[in-house]
């Protein structure tokens, strides 16, 4: 049987250069396994990361996300008010609104700025610049009134929001500005009582923490935490608004009339030390302090020191009377010129030899007569009484910027100091210190430290009075009474200040015309004119001091200060319902026959 033969193989075709060679096809199951392993590895990485995020780091990421949504806003405490003795607001805080913007929500800054400009009263370009950018929170305007914000809110501008705040206002304008001071843009006190009482007035800020949406708006349904603010206390002063007003108007008129550099008026109750008025001119607006020169923003009544001149003779006379060196009728022969320590001393008006009593020396303000009386007392004696009157120490008023004045130690007195200090040259004081000296005489020789704060009222409405001021006896009650009677002669027709008389009231006081120290040259240039007095002289209820620095039209304290004293004192006596004097004062001799 013939075996079948396989057909012959076709001859292999030669390969062409560059032609791909045929490859054997791999097993597809092997490829699937490889891909599956790779996918499993990737999935395990995702699973591990997911486990890390959801299990291990979930709390941290949640906290981070929440922190990005949370916003903490300070709740400013309402600043306490400053009121006068009757509770009339001199400084207070009112609601205000800050206008804010979410710049990312403002598609057309030009249109939004154009809508805001008329309401805010600001240039369009200035507003537009605050609307352009990618800030989610930016201030557009600060401290606008709620009514103005209502007008803005009615425009429904995209990206424009509000932030509640407050601002300081002074309802009485510039009244009492030197005493009140002012606050900065952050609402904190920068000068005056606004500064020294800032901690009590400011209160304690609170805060609110909440979840916010775009533009900083609170999400109503989300949780929030609030720490309430604590309002500041209200500070009640001893100042009487009406007396302060009259004092400021009177000193302003006299400064302008006399072409003086400045002037002050201080009114005080001698029995309590309470300051009823503290006026200075020129002044400023506490709502816009930078509009006035820096020199006008200080409290001249406590910071400006000057040589008192003849008003200081009251201390010399009080010391001599209290020490028994003189009596009101003591005879003092006053020569035309007195030579002491190498210098000649004169009185303000040339004269021949005068025969004055101690009362006459005070009434006619004789420098020479005062020197002769001080010599009976001695340097140590005069110095000790000046210290007891408060010279060389702060008054105790406790307001910013107060100067203690200058009183050289007795060991440092030169050859002429004994003479000059006796009549008010060579020592210096401020207007409050000068007022306090006369208040001491008015208060039967007891010095009561001046005070301007009556007390505070807390958020709960309870009033806490200030601690009573310190009291120190300086001279005896008999000495004070005698000196008051002697001082009445100063205001008589024979004295240097008849223009200070108040119809129906007995008045006592003393004039002063002192050479003024000019710091620019270190020399005497110009004058300080002053008058300090009290009424009624037999039962004093109010002390008023008037001081004018470098007047050009006139220089005598009686002529310039007397009328201001009369105006302020008359009003104070009437407003406090002080009855007129029922009897006339004693008649004291001013001269004697040799």
């Amino acid at each position: 049987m013939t075996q079948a033969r396989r057909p012959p193989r076709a001859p292999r075709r030669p390969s062409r250069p560059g032609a791909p060679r045929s490859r054997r096809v791999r097993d597809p199951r092997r490829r699937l396994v490889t891909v599956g392993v790779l996918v499993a590895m990737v999935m395990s990485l995702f699973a591990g990361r997911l486990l890390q995020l959801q299990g291990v780091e979930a709390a941290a990421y949640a906290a981070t996300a929440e922190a990005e949504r949370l916003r903490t806003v300070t709740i400013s405490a309402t600043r306490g008010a400053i009121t006068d003795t009757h509770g009339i607001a001199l400084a207070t805080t009112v609601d205000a609104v800050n206008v804010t913007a979410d710049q990312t929500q403002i598609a057309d800054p030009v249109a939004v700025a154009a809508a805001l400009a008329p309401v805010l009263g600001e240039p369009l370009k200035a507003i537009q610049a605050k609307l352009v950018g990618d800030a989610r929170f930016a201030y557009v305007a600060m401290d606008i009134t709620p009514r103005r914000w209502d007008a803005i809110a009615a425009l429904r501008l995209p990206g424009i929001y509000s932030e509640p705040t407050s601002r300081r206002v002074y309802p009485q304008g510039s009244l009492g500005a030197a005493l009140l001071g002012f606050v900065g843009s952050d609402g904190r006190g920068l000068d005056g009582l606004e500064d020294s009482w800032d901690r009590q007035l400011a209160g304690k800020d609170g805060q609110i923490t909440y979840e916010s949406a775009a533009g900083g708006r609170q999400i109503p349904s989300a949780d929030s935490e609030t720490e309430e603010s604590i309002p500041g206390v209200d500070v009640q002063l001893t100042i009487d608004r009406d007396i302060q007003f009259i004092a400021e108007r009177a000193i302003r008129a006299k400064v302008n009339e006399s072409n003086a550099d400045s002037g002050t008026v201080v009114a005080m109750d001698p029995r309590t030390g309470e300051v009823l008025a503290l006026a200075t001119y020129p002044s400023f607006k506490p709502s816009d302090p930078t509009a006035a020169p820096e020199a006008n923003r200080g409290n001249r009544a406590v910071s400006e020191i000057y040589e008192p001149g003849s008003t200081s003779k009251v201390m010399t006379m009080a010391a001599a009377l209290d020490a028994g060196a003189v009596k009101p009728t003591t005879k003092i022969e006053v020569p035309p010129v007195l030579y002491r320590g190498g210098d000649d001393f004169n009185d303000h008006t040339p004269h021949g030899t005068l025969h004055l009593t101690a009362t006459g020396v005070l009434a006619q303000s004789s420098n020479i007569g005062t020197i002769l009386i001080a010599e009976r007392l001695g340097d140590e004696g005069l110095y000790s009484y000046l210290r007891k009157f408060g010279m060389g120490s702060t008054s105790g008023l406790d307001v910013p910027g107060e100067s203690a004045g200058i009183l050289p130690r007795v060991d440092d007195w030169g050859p002429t100091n004994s003479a000059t200090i006796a009549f008010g040259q060579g020592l210096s004081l401020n207007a409050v210190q000068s007022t306090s000296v006369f208040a001491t005489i008015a208060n039967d020789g007891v010095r009561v430290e001046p005070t301007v704060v009556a007390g505070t009222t807390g958020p709960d409405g309870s009033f806490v009075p200030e601690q009573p001021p310190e009291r120190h006896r300086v001279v005896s009650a008999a000495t004070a009474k005698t000196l008051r009677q002697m001082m009445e002669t100063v205001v008589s027709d024979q004295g240097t200040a008849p223009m200070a008389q108040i119809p129906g009231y007995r008045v006592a006081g003393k004039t002063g015309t002192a050479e003024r120290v000019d710091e620019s040259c270190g020399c005497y240039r110009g004058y300080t004119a002053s008058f300090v007095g009290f009424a009624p002289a037999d039962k004093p209820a109010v002390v008023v001091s008037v001081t004018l620095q470098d007047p050009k039209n006139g220089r005598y304290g009686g002529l310039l200060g007397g009328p201001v004293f009369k105006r302020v004192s008359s009003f104070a006596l009437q407003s406090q319902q002080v009855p007129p004097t029922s009897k006339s004062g004693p008649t004291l001799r001013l001269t004697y026959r040799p």
Side-chain angles (χ1 to χ4, degrees):
M1 185 174 179
T2 304
Q3 186 176 2
R5 298 175 62 184
R6 285 192 296 178
R9 287 183 179 180
R12 196 178 277 184
R13 302 174 68 179
S15 60
R16 292 173 297 173
R21 297 177 63 182
S22 60
R23 295 181 179 178
R24 184 176 296 177
V25 179
R26 295 180 179 178
D27 188 351
R29 290 175 298 176
R30 186 176 180 181
R31 174 177 290 183
L32 290 175
V33 171
T34 302
V35 172
V37 170
L38 292 176
V39 171
M41 291 176 63
V42 172
M43 293 301 294
S44 65
L45 291 175
F46 278 114
R49 182 58 177 161
L50 185 61
L51 177 64
Q52 181 184 21
L53 293 176
Q54 294 185 343
V56 179
E57 298 180 358
Y61 278 96
T64 301
E66 183 180 11
E68 292 178 352
R69 295 195 309 272
L70 290 180
R71 183 183 178 199
T72 300
V73 177
T74 298
I75 304 175
S76 299
T78 301
R79 190 173 180 84
I82 302 177
T83 71
D84 85 333
T85 188
H86 303 297
I88 300 172
L90 304 177
T92 189
T93 299
V94 298
D95 291 336
V97 178
N98 293 333
V99 181
T100 67
D102 182 345
Q103 297 173 344
T104 65
Q105 295 183 358
I106 301 175
D108 190 350
V110 176
V112 174
L116 288 174
V119 184
L120 295 177
E122 295 183 11
L124 186 146
K125 289 186 177 180
I127 298 176
Q128 182 181 339
K130 301 174 184 178
L131 305 178
V132 177
D134 55 5
R136 303 298 299 272
F137 184 89
Y139 284 110
V140 178
M142 306 286 286
D143 294 342
I144 69 170
T145 63
R147 178 177 295 181
R148 185 172 293 185
W149 166 249
D150 289 343
I152 294 174
L155 299 175
R156 299 183 178 276
L157 299 172
I160 299 300
Y161 304 100
S162 66
E163 179 185 65
T165 185
S166 60
R167 62 189 178 97
R168 198 67 162 167
V169 296
Y170 299 86
Q172 311 302 322
S174 62
L175 190 78
L179 178 62
L180 296 175
F182 52 90
V183 300
S185 58
D186 60 355
R188 298 298 182 181
L190 292 181
D191 202 358
L193 296 177
E194 293 276 32
D195 179 22
S196 60
W197 283 80
D198 183 67
R199 182 177 61 83
Q200 295 90 333
L201 288 166
K204 183 180 179 182
D205 291 343
Q207 64 179 24
I208 179 172
T209 301
Y210 59 86
E211 293 187 46
S212 61
R217 293 171 296 175
Q218 183 176 359
I219 300 174
S221 60
D223 294 335
S224 63
E225 293 183 4
T226 302
E227 179 184 344
E228 298 293 344
S229 61
I230 301 176
V233 302
D234 294 340
V235 177
Q236 180 176 316
L237 306 183
T238 61
I239 297 292
D240 185 299
R241 181 197 62 173
D242 296 337
I243 300 176
Q244 178 76 23
F245 174 80
I246 294 297
E248 288 190 8
R249 187 164 67 175
I251 194 61
R252 179 177 66 244
K254 186 58 66 174
V255 167
N256 292 331
E257 175 189 318
S258 64
N259 193 22
D261 287 352
S262 62
T264 63
V265 172
V266 180
M268 184 184 299
D269 185 330
R271 300 159 296 187
T272 63
E274 294 179 347
V275 176
L276 307 176
L278 195 155
T280 68
Y281 184 81
S283 187
F284 67 98
K285 293 182 178 180
S287 59
D288 187 17
T290 58
E294 184 177 356
N296 294 348
R297 300 199 294 265
N299 190 347
R300 289 187 174 92
V302 296
S303 64
E304 187 174 64
I305 61 174
Y306 56 91
E307 293 189 352
S310 295
T311 56
S312 185
K313 293 172 182 174
V314 168
M315 291 187 285
T316 302
M317 191 65 72
L321 289 169
D322 201 58
V326 296
K327 296 179 181 180
T329 56
T330 298
K331 299 175 181 180
I332 308 294
E333 185 177 293
V334 180
V337 179
L338 188 67
Y339 183 79
R340 291 290 187 274
D343 283 343
D344 291 334
F345 291 92
N346 305 277
D347 285 333
H348 57 85
T349 302
H351 58 74
T353 298
L354 301 178
H355 299 91
L356 302 176
T357 63
T359 301
V361 168
L362 188 66
Q364 298 187 16
S365 197
S366 170
N367 293 340
I368 295 173
T370 304
I371 294 171
L372 295 173
I373 289 174
E375 289 177 345
R376 299 188 178 201
L377 183 64
D379 292 352
E380 290 283 356
L382 177 59
Y383 177 80
S384 66
Y385 275 98
L386 292 175
R387 288 290 298 169
K388 288 196 289 184
F389 271 109
M391 298 301 98
S393 303
T394 54
S395 68
L397 192 61
D398 193 24
V399 295
E402 182 176 9
S403 171
I406 300 172
L407 176 63
R409 295 188 309 171
V410 68
D411 295 340
D412 297 329
W413 287 12
T416 61
N417 283 129
S418 301
T420 59
I421 289 177
F423 62 78
Q425 188 174 303
L427 76 161
S428 63
L429 44 64
N430 61 49
V432 170
Q433 288 174 312
S434 179
T435 312
S436 179
V437 168
F438 283 71
T440 299
I441 302 303
N443 191 43
D444 284 337
V446 176
R447 179 177 180 271
V448 183
E449 287 192 347
T451 181
V452 74
V453 176
T456 58
T457 301
D460 61 353
S462 60
F463 179 76
V464 180
E466 282 292 282
Q467 292 293 323
E470 294 187 11
R471 307 169 71 91
H472 308 280
R473 177 160 293 282
V474 179
V475 297
S476 69
T479 294
K481 180 179 179 180
T482 298
L483 184 56
R484 288 198 298 270
Q485 294 173 348
M486 295 171 67
M487 291 168 65
E488 287 188 69
T489 63
V490 175
V491 187
S492 71
D493 293 336
Q494 296 176 295
T496 56
M499 62 291 298
Q501 296 175 8
I502 300 175
Y505 294 91
R506 288 168 57 183
V507 176
K510 185 70 187 76
T511 58
T513 303
E515 290 183 292
R516 185 171 181 267
V517 176
D518 189 334
E519 294 182 356
S520 66
C521 64
C523 61
Y524 284 108
R525 180 185 293 168
Y527 296 91
T528 296
S530 58
F531 180 85
V532 192
F534 46 81
D538 54 330
K539 194 175 182 181
V542 63
V543 180
V544 174
S545 71
V546 182
T547 308
L548 291 116
Q549 296 295 342
D550 199 20
K552 313 302 187 301
N553 301 327
R555 69 179 189 183
Y556 293 113
L559 292 172
L560 296 178
V564 177
F565 165 86
K566 179 179 180 179
R567 178 73 181 97
V568 176
S569 297
S570 297
F571 182 85
L573 291 169
Q574 294 173 14
S575 66
Q576 296 192 339
Q577 300 181 346
V578 178
T581 303
S582 58
K583 58 182 179 179
S584 59
T587 301
L588 299 177
R589 294 184 61 85
L590 307 185
T591 61
Y592 68 93
R593 289 185 179 181

